[in-house]
Amino acid sequence: MTILLFVMLGVFVFMMFRRNKKTQQQQAELQSKFGPGVEVMTSFGLFGRIVDINEAENKVTLELSPGNTATVHRQSVTKIVEPVVAAEEPTVVPDDASSLTLDKPDAETPESAAPFNEPAGIETPEETLRRLNDEGKKDS
């Protein structure tokens, strides 16, 4: 029984050291990519561009916005921010020419009372006042 307990303890310690080693490797790989002009994020949520790296004191100078800089510890820079590339929407080409012509409103629809280039649902202040006054008369 004690042998099984020591084996379990040994596996636990081995997994703990392995995890720490992987974390250190990832951090070293990340810090090797640091250089002036790289967009980064700190562990406390500041985004900025690296201006200068002081290897002797483990300090990084970040430009947060034009003219504003902050000096942080090198290990507080935890992520390199990749610029987001906007995906282009594919151009939809109609199969026939029917979608190229403007549809004229029908005479039966209530939207046809408005001018053709004015969107439905938008009314002038005078029309709004008239509508509100008419609603008040219907309630009494």
Side-chain angles (χ1 to χ4, degrees):
M1 184 69 168
T2 57
I3 295 173
L4 184 61
L5 183 64
F6 283 121
V7 169
M8 294 291 283
L9 182 65
V11 168
F12 178 71
V13 170
F14 173 74
M15 296 298 277
M16 187 174 62
F17 283 124
R18 182 174 174 220
R19 181 182 225 184
N20 285 344
K21 186 176 180 181
K22 283 179 77 174
T23 305
Q24 287 176 352
Q25 285 177 348
Q26 288 175 347
Q27 189 71 18
E29 181 183 328
L30 177 72
Q31 289 190 8
S32 69
K33 294 179 183 178
F34 287 170
V38 176
E39 293 281 334
V40 295
M41 183 183 85
T42 64
S43 60
F44 43 91
L46 282 178
F47 288 89
R49 178 173 291 144
I50 294 177
V51 177
D52 184 39
I53 300 173
N54 187 343
E55 298 284 339
E57 296 180 12
N58 283 333
K59 292 182 180 179
V60 176
T61 304
L62 299 177
E63 182 179 32
L64 305 176
S65 63
N68 294 327
T69 60
T71 303
V72 296
H73 194 273
R74 185 174 181 148
Q75 288 181 344
S76 69
V77 179
T78 57
K79 184 177 179 182
I80 295 178
V81 179
E82 300 293 331
V84 179
V85 178
E88 292 184 23
E89 294 183 19
T91 305
V92 178
V93 179
D95 292 340
D96 58 354
S98 64
S99 64
L100 300 176
T101 60
L102 294 175
D103 294 332
K104 294 185 179 181
D106 297 333
E108 294 88 35
T109 60
E111 291 87 23
S112 64
F116 180 68
N117 33 352
E118 185 177 313
I122 298 177
E123 53 188 24
T124 63
E126 292 83 19
E127 291 172 340
T128 304
L129 186 59
R130 191 176 320 121
R131 180 179 52 84
L132 292 174
N133 285 335
D134 291 342
E135 285 178 2
K137 292 176 185 176
K138 291 177 186 176
D139 291 337
S140 53

